[in-house]
């Protein structure tokens, strides 16, 4: 009884169900093997491909906790990749460590400024977050296209490739980056009073003001961090494919990130936030994306399928819905909604 | 009374309701008779609100039985309860102030003709419904254009119009002035005569004795008993509610007169010179000396709260100067005020005080942590020490620092808010209606706290609608009317509540003549 009350019970179960259901289509789903000193397997792929999403979602968690939202992360990712590859493409030696570090520094620095821009619009100018970040969501793609001149920039730089496509200690480097960001965020916010003050501002802005909290700086910080996270994720994706595509990098990432945060238990109205929940949420979204690819759903139906599964997951997580469906008719052990999605799996490939 | 002999409209027996870790109701009975006003009495946290929510279908019960007109019922939503004839008007008017009066009365059950709302019929029926509560206003105007008292009447008209068996009024008078209370009572008597059973919850004992016929007393989620109001003297009622003798209360009664000596040479903790804000308060002068309790007295809307907010920087003054400890200081933001050692508890605990989602501990350390900034966290050990100390000192219940503060009762929430500021050791504590809507026991504790804080040298600016309370605690009283401080009265031997009332009211008559 007590375990089902835990905040992460339903998100955790959903992730497990999703993972286990993969075994029906890919019996080797849980297998891991070493090859050339690198660890391979579906699970590794999920974590690696999910790393950028997790990083964006961690940044998004803080923004949402303040009661805001950041729609610009996808565009910021595109800008970040564009800035870095544009600089590297202009280098005489594309693999020079110094050159790549400069490119990364420029990209991340620019994304910090973009985050600051969002933060100023929200906290200083007082524009509603959804509108304020919508500006950069639209304009940001334009900026990225402007940097890349409308072309896909490709680079040949093993040093740059490391960020999103390389390996360290037998594991994809991206995994270490994601863990580093998650741990950094958790330690900074929970060891200091940052987390509590952000939750206070998100939970009740006026009460926080009257308690003497300077919310402006806290909100700025959240958007700046979100910009940084999006920038890093953009680098990872661009690095993985050694190119920058201003039109498609990070497309719809903002929605996946928001979804990951919400699945993790952080409410969209702000207040309490849960970083471990965000981790579970991001892994769930990525597992779903991977599942769709491995079971070979018709590409035209993937978005619809994804939306359907997310819809079912949200229903199961809703206490009000559970109370309605599961408590009222306890006698006939009605199949919960999750197996229904499995039937869906069977039908589609057939 | 004839109806008392007949069977009750509502009979609740052995009601039990548990929340995780708390027995909110433990075997409580309640009988309501037609044509009677029934008082539900108890301290904060006694279970009054829970019992009401059980009766109105907000909560489902864990044990016991509810009979309505003899039939057992089980409400699982407020809508069901309403349809069965049980309606509620809550303390904070929960209507949509942006909609018209008529829309508010018929929202969700608009009269229709061929699918479309029949506006004319709706307005006509709204006027009828308001006539029942003796109210003649333009029903097509937005609700926000009327006073809180009228809005309350509209809420009652709506409740009565929906179902006319049981009407529950939860603290309806806490934001009404004397005349408005009498208007409400007239309506209640009329509805009673029409055969409604009315439940009346209020912390004003005089009102209870004026309007109710019968009362049920709860304490700590348990039933203490049911009495006819006329057969239970006020003193006995209070001791049944708080479950202990009245020594604390009587001790306070004894110190009615409080004057500070040797103030003339001291420097005021805070001095406002010509401070004002357009559309809010006329420029005023006000000095508060160390250890002094200054009361602000005036009618609702006279500018009491506005003065307090200016002194804390919650609103920015557009004229005048502040001197803190004799030095010119700007108080433009709450942050600026807190760094000068000024603290403020708003009259709106929930919206402007507590962060409901956070725990008791987090709410208590919030202001201290805000003053230190986020980079210098208070260690968890120090937090626990401070919080435990104040939970004990202020008797916050339940004494669980990790409880979400929104689950606490009103009085305990107020204490959490006080604790938040006390741990910052302020020089000046501004308390806006700290005792409103809380029970006798907690009220006495807070009053006692104000006295002992001022004895330790803390200055207090105390706002209350209850003049007795202002007079009992204050060294001097600033009287406000029409957004202006009109007099400063020393609380010396000759001062009485009547004199304050005369000051509030008397001059206004002169002005009308002038």
């Amino acid at each position: 009884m007590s375990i089902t009350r835990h905040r992460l019970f339903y998100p955790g179960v959903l992730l497990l169900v999703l993972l286990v259901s993969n075994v029906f289509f890919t019996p080797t789903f849980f297998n891991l093997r070493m090859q050339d000193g690198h660890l391979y397997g579906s699970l590794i792929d999920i974590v690696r491909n999910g790393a950028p999403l997790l990083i964006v979602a961690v940044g998004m968690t803080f923004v949402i906790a303040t009661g805001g939202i950041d729609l610009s992360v996808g565009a910021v990712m595109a800008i970040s990749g564009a800035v870095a590859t544009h600089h590297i493409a202009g280098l005489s030696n594309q693999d020079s460590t110094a050159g790549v570090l400069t490119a990364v520094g420029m990209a991340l620095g620019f994304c910090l400024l973009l985050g600051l821009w969002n933060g100023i619009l929200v906290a200083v100018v007082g524009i509603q977050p959804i509108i304020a970040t919508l500006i950069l969501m639209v304009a940001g793609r334009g900026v990225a296209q402007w940097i890349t001149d409308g072309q896909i920039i490709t680079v040949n730089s093993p040093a740059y490739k490391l960020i999103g496509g390389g390996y360290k200690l037998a594991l994809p480097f991206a995994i270490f980056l994601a863990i580093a960001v998650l741990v950094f965020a958790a330690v900074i916010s929970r060891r200091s009073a940052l987390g509590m003050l952000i939750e206070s501002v998100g939970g009740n802005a006026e009460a926080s003001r009257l308690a003497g909290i300077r919310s402006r700086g806290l909100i700025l910080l959240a958007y700046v961090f979100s910009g940084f996270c999006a920038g890093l994720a953009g680098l990872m994706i661009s690095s993985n494919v050694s190119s920058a595509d201003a039109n498609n990098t990070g497309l719809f990432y903002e929605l996946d990130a928001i979804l990951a945060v919400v699945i993790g238990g952080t409410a969209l109205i702000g207040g309490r936030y849960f970083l471990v929940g965000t981790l579970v949420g991001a892994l769930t979204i990525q597992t779903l994306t991977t599942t769709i690819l491995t079971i070979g759903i018709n590409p035209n139906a993937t978005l619809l399928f994804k939306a359907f599964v997310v819809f079912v997951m949200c229903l199961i997580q809703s206490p009000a819905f559970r109370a309605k469906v599961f408590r009222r008719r306890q006698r006939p052990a009605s199949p919960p909604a999750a197996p229904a999605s499995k039937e869906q799996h069977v039908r589609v490939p057939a | 009374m004839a109806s008392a002999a007949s069977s009750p409209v509502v009979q609740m027996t052995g009601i039990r309701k548990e929340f995780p870790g708390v027995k909110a109701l433990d075997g409580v009975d309640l009988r309501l008779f037609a044509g009677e006003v029934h008082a539900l009495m108890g301290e904060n946290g006694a279970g009054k609100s829970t019992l009401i929510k059980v009766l109105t279908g907000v909560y489902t019960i864990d044990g016991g039985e509810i009979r309505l007109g003899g039939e057992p019922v089980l409400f699982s939503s407020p809508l069901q309860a309403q349809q069965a004839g049980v309606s509620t008007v809550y303390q904070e008017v929960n209507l949509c102030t942006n909609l018209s009066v008529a829309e508010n009365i018929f929202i969700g059950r608009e009269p229709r003709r061929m699918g479309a709302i029949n506006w004319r019929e709706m307005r006509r029926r709204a006027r009828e419904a308001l006539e029942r509560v003796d109210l003649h206003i333009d029903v097509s105007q937005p609700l926000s254009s009327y006073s809180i008292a009228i809005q309350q009447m509209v809420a009652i008209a709506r409740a009565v119009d929906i179902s006319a068996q049981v009407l529950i009024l939860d603290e309806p008078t806490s934001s009404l002035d004397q005349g408005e209370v009498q208007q409400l009572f007239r309506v209640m008597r009329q509805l009673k005569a029409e055969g409604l059973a009315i439940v009346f919850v209020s912390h004003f004992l005089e009102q209870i004795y004026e309007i109710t016929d019968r009362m049920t007393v709860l304490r700590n989620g348990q039933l203490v008993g049911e009495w006819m109001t006329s057969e239970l003297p006020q003193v006995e009622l209070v001791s049944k509610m708080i479950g202990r003798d009245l020594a604390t209360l009587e001790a306070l009664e004894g110190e009615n007169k409080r004057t500070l000596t040797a103030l003339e040479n001291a420097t005021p903790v805070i001095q406002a010179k010509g401070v004002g804000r357009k559309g809010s308060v006329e420029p005023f002068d006000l000095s508060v000396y160390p250890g002094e309790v200054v009361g602000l007295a005036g009618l609702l809307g006279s500018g009491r709260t506005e003065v307090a907010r200016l002194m804390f920087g919650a609103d920015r003054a557009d004229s005048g100067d502040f001197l803190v400890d004799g030095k010119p200081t700007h108080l433009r933001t709450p942050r600026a005020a807190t760094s000068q050692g000024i603290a403020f508890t708003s009259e709106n605990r929930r919206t402007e005080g507590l962060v409901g989602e956070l725990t008791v501990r987090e709410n208590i350390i919030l202001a201290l942590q805000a003053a230190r900034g986020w980079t210098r966290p208070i260690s968890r050990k120090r937090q626990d020490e401070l919080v435990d100390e104040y939970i004990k000192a202020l008797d916050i219940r339940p004494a669980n620092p990790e409880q979400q503060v929104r689950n606490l009762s009103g009085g305990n929430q107020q204490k959490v808010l006080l604790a938040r500021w006390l741990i910052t050791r302020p020089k000046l504590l501004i308390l806006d209606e700290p005792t409103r809507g809380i029970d006798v026991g907690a009220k006495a504790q807070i009053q006692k706290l104000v006295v002992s804080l001022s004895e330790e040298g803390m200055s207090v600016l105390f706002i209350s609608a209850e003049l007795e309370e202002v007079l009992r605690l204050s060294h001097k009283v600033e009287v406000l009317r029409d957004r202006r401080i009109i007099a400063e009265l020393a609380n010396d031997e000759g001062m009485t509540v009547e004199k304050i009332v005369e000051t509030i009211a008397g001059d206004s008559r002169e002005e009308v003549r002038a």
Side-chain angles (χ1 to χ4, degrees):
Chain A
M1 193 61 206
S2 64
I3 190 168
T4 62
R5 286 242 178 95
H6 193 276
R7 224 179 39 246
L8 286 176
F9 177 76
Y10 284 97
V13 166
L14 287 167
L15 177 57
L16 274 181
V17 166
L18 215 48
L19 285 170
V20 170
S21 64
N22 265 285
V23 177
F24 292 97
F25 306 98
T26 326
T28 60
F29 185 77
F30 285 107
N31 292 8
L32 296 176
R33 65 202 151 82
M34 284 294 265
Q35 191 178 326
D36 307 332
H38 297 164
L39 205 52
Y40 285 96
S42 303
L43 289 181
I44 300 291
D45 285 346
I46 287 174
V47 181
R48 185 180 80 166
N49 296 332
L53 175 62
L54 173 60
I55 290 174
V56 174
V58 166
M60 185 72 78
T61 306
F62 287 98
V63 171
I64 288 180
T66 65
I69 200 144
D70 187 352
L71 293 183
S72 71
V73 288
V76 172
M77 289 169 73
I79 292 176
S80 171
V83 169
T85 51
H86 184 261
H87 182 75
I88 292 171
L91 292 173
S92 52
N93 172 14
Q94 294 199 352
D95 197 24
S96 95
T97 312
V100 168
L101 280 180
T102 311
V104 167
M106 281 167 63
L108 291 180
F110 192 48
C111 292
L112 286 173
L113 288 180
L114 293 174
L116 188 65
W117 160 263
N118 279 334
I120 287 173
L121 289 189
V122 173
V124 181
V125 184
I127 302 178
Q128 283 184 15
I130 197 164
I131 301 299
T133 57
L134 190 66
I135 295 172
L136 187 56
M137 177 184 178
V138 176
R141 291 262 163 224
V143 172
Q145 280 163 350
W146 183 49
I147 293 170
T148 61
D149 218 4
Q151 308 295 314
I152 293 180
I153 302 181
T154 50
V155 292
N156 180 16
S157 168
Y160 184 53
K161 178 92 181 171
L162 170 74
I163 303 171
Y167 280 81
K168 275 273 183 286
L169 302 172
L171 285 171
F173 187 62
I175 295 182
F176 293 107
L177 281 180
I179 292 173
V181 168
L182 183 68
V183 170
F184 170 82
V187 168
I188 286 289
S189 67
R190 291 304 181 195
R191 286 276 150 168
S192 75
L194 187 61
M196 186 192 83
L197 294 181
I198 283 179
E199 288 175 336
S200 174
V201 169
N204 188 339
E206 179 61 7
S208 300
R209 186 179 82 93
L210 292 179
I213 296 174
R214 275 191 278 227
S215 59
R216 186 174 290 179
L218 297 171
I219 293 173
L220 274 176
L221 210 55
Y223 283 92
V224 168
F225 184 60
S226 177
F228 172 83
C229 287
L232 183 57
L235 286 181
M236 289 161 82
I237 286 181
S238 140
S239 145
N240 194 27
V241 292
S242 290
S243 66
D245 177 352
N247 290 322
N248 293 312
T249 304
L251 200 61
F252 294 142
Y253 245 71
E254 56 282 339
L255 301 183
D256 277 353
I258 293 167
L259 213 50
V261 174
V262 172
I263 288 176
T266 304
L268 273 180
I269 53 167
R272 281 267 188 247
Y273 68 89
F274 307 103
L275 285 173
V276 178
T278 297
L279 169 68
V280 173
L283 289 178
T284 307
I285 298 286
Q286 187 58 45
T287 307
L288 181 57
T289 309
T290 305
T291 307
I292 289 170
L293 291 175
T294 53
I295 67 179
I297 289 180
N298 179 346
N300 296 328
T302 52
L303 284 180
L304 192 62
F305 177 77
K306 190 172 169 184
F308 175 75
V309 177
V310 166
F311 169 67
V312 171
M313 289 195 300
C314 292
L315 280 185
I316 292 176
Q317 276 205 50
S318 150
F321 177 80
R322 285 203 306 272
K324 260 199 179 120
V325 173
F326 300 136
R327 302 251 166 81
R328 265 202 196 159
R329 24 184 153 132
Q330 262 169 346
R331 288 158 288 118
S334 68
S341 72
K342 271 187 230 153
E343 287 164 27
Q344 189 84 355
H345 289 212
V346 181
R347 220 178 302 142
V348 175
Chain B
M1 197 164 290
S3 59
S6 62
S7 63
V9 184
V10 171
Q11 179 143 31
M12 303 173 81
T13 34
I15 301 294
R16 283 193 302 107
K17 176 72 194 169
E18 284 183 37
F19 296 111
V22 192
K23 275 188 181 170
L25 293 175
D26 189 10
V28 171
D29 303 340
L30 178 69
R31 301 189 300 162
L32 303 178
F33 294 92
E36 270 192 18
V37 179
H38 192 113
L40 194 53
M41 304 298 295
E43 288 195 279
N44 286 302
K48 302 186 300 275
S49 304
T50 313
L51 189 63
I52 288 175
K53 285 181 177 162
V54 160
L55 178 57
T56 54
V58 178
Y59 296 150
T60 50
I61 49 177
D62 297 328
E65 190 192 44
I66 307 176
R67 281 172 180 273
L68 190 67
E71 296 295 314
V73 287
L74 198 61
F75 301 134
S76 58
S77 75
L79 188 65
Q80 278 187 5
Q82 266 183 14
Q83 284 163 348
V86 181
S87 282
T88 318
V89 175
Y90 289 103
Q91 183 170 5
E92 276 105 27
V93 179
N94 47 354
L95 298 174
C96 310
T97 50
N98 55 332
L99 298 183
S100 75
V101 171
E103 283 171 298
N104 267 294
I105 295 176
F106 287 100
I107 194 162
R109 47 190 195 98
E110 299 85 353
R112 284 169 191 277
R113 193 173 49 192
M114 292 165 43
I117 293 176
N118 185 345
W119 293 98
R120 182 176 304 201
E121 170 75 1
M122 183 154 115
R123 283 194 292 273
R124 188 185 63 74
R125 282 172 50 187
R127 276 190 295 273
E128 270 177 27
L130 289 176
E131 264 163 34
R132 274 188 85 179
V133 298
D134 208 15
L135 199 58
H136 304 275
I137 56 175
D138 182 353
V139 296
S140 57
Q141 290 298 307
L143 190 66
S144 56
S145 57
Y146 295 105
S147 69
I148 297 284
I150 301 231
Q151 293 182 17
Q152 191 106 48
M153 295 294 178
V154 171
I156 292 173
R158 172 187 158 81
V160 171
D161 190 70
I162 289 173
S163 54
Q165 269 206 69
V166 179
L167 177 65
I168 299 167
L169 301 173
D170 189 0
E171 290 277 353
T173 57
S174 59
S175 43
L176 304 188
D177 70 26
Q178 208 51 43
E180 292 165 337
V181 169
Q182 286 311 321
Q183 191 186 351
L184 174 69
F185 283 1
R186 265 201 308 282
V187 170
M188 283 171 67
R189 289 196 185 96
Q190 187 183 329
L191 294 174
K192 180 173 111 169
E194 290 174 21
L196 251 71
I198 300 176
V199 177
F200 182 70
V201 180
S202 170
H203 284 106
F204 298 102
L205 295 182
E206 303 87 67
Q207 294 178 2
I208 297 291
Y209 278 91
E210 183 178 344
I211 193 73
T212 68
D213 305 301
R214 188 188 292 266
M215 59 173 72
T216 294
V217 181
L218 304 180
R219 189 170 67 233
N220 293 330
Q222 288 176 328
L223 179 71
V224 178
E226 185 203 86
W227 290 270
M228 297 305 287
T229 305
S230 55
E231 289 163 11
L232 188 69
Q234 192 162 329
V235 187
E236 268 183 56
L237 168 64
V238 172
S239 67
K240 286 193 195 314
M241 282 165 61
I242 63 178
R244 57 175 181 259
D245 69 284
L246 295 170
T248 33
L249 290 173
E250 279 158 7
L252 274 167
E253 300 288 348
E255 344 177 17
N256 220 328
K257 287 291 157 278
R258 299 166 30 81
T259 36
L260 274 186
T261 46
L263 277 180
E264 298 310 313
N265 304 326
T267 316
V269 173
I270 187 166
Q271 190 174 6
K273 285 182 174 173
V275 170
R277 179 181 162 90
K278 281 205 180 65
S280 172
V281 202
E282 300 282 317
F284 62 88
D285 297 331
L286 177 61
S287 298
V288 185
Y289 288 89
E292 188 181 35
V293 180
V294 177
L296 293 185
L299 298 175
L300 202 72
S302 61
R304 300 178 312 214
T305 298
E306 287 77 1
V307 167
R309 288 179 64 92
L310 286 181
M311 307 278 283
F312 184 63
D315 296 329
R316 199 178 290 189
D318 55 16
S319 67
D321 303 293
F322 286 107
L323 299 176
V324 176
D325 289 334
K327 291 188 226 42
T329 312
H330 290 297
L331 298 176
R332 293 213 176 103
T333 60
R335 179 51 179 266
T338 54
S339 66
Q340 294 294 329
I342 302 172
F344 168 67
T345 67
S346 164
E347 60 183 328
N348 304 314
R349 286 189 288 271
R350 269 175 216 145
T351 53
E352 297 176 358
L354 299 160
V355 185
E357 205 183 357
L358 298 189
T359 63
V360 169
R361 171 178 57 81
E362 288 169 319
N363 269 287
I364 289 179
I365 65 156
L366 200 57
L368 188 60
Q369 185 64 67
R372 292 166 64 110
W374 66 268
T375 51
R376 290 168 56 223
I378 305 164
S379 77
R380 182 56 189 263
K381 185 161 161 278
R382 182 79 190 118
Q383 289 184 23
D384 289 339
E385 282 169 14
L386 281 169
V387 170
D388 284 345
E389 182 189 337
Y390 278 90
I391 284 180
K392 275 202 201 81
L394 300 184
D395 191 23
I396 294 170
R397 284 184 239 174
N400 172 10
E402 300 310 313
Q403 178 97 332
Q404 279 192 350
V405 87
R406 66 166 136 225
N407 295 335
L408 267 57
S409 66
N412 285 304
Q413 288 183 344
Q414 187 67 48
K415 290 181 191 171
V416 169
L417 204 49
L418 275 168
R420 171 192 294 174
W421 290 112
L422 293 180
I423 67 169
T424 67
R425 312 204 160 277
K427 285 184 293 208
L428 171 67
L429 185 58
I430 304 172
L431 302 174
D432 192 357
E433 295 275 10
T435 59
R436 182 165 87 182
I438 72 175
D439 60 77
V440 192
K443 198 172 193 168
Q445 283 172 333
I446 285 172
Q447 292 176 355
K448 215 170 123 189
L449 185 72
V450 168
V451 171
S452 66
L453 287 173
S454 96
E455 276 163 4
E456 289 164 21
M458 194 184 290
S459 310
V460 180
L461 192 60
F462 188 88
I463 302 177
S464 173
E466 283 180 58
L467 296 178
E468 291 81 6
E469 190 178 54
V470 173
L471 198 62
R472 185 183 301 154
L473 298 175
S474 308
H475 298 109
K476 71 180 181 211
V477 179
E478 306 285 332
V479 181
L480 288 106
R481 176 161 41 79
D482 296 338
R483 307 188 170 270
R484 204 182 314 166
I485 295 185
I486 51 167
E488 179 176 297
L489 308 172
N491 191 4
D492 50 27
E493 281 305 316
M495 187 49 60
T496 58
V497 170
E498 286 69 33
K499 283 194 180 164
I500 298 178
V501 174
E502 272 170 29
T503 315
I504 292 172
D507 291 5
S508 71
R509 271 178 246 129
E510 279 165 31
E511 254 174 42
V512 170
R513 259 183 263 132

